[in-house]
Amino acid sequence: MSHSSWWYGVLPFPVVVLTALLSRFASRAFSSAARAPADSALGADVAWFVL
């Protein structure tokens, strides 16, 4: 049986798109959390930075 390898070029596309969307969401969330008042939870800022 022949194994087709055409999907090796197709599979990375959705992964790249999802990663870009997640990165954009995380950067916006981090910047909005960083502008929050100083008494906000530091853990949320660190979590958004790690994400």
Side-chain angles (χ1 to χ4, degrees):
M1 179 163 47
S2 174
H3 292 279
S4 179
S5 62
W6 64 268
W7 60 274
Y8 289 135
V10 176
L11 181 65
F13 179 74
V15 172
V16 169
V17 171
L18 290 175
T19 305
L21 290 174
L22 180 64
S23 174
R24 184 174 182 157
F25 171 73
S27 68
R28 285 186 180 203
F30 177 72
S31 64
S32 68
R35 286 181 286 189
D39 60 344
S40 68
L42 178 63
D45 293 341
V46 173
W48 285 118
F49 178 75
V50 170
L51 181 63

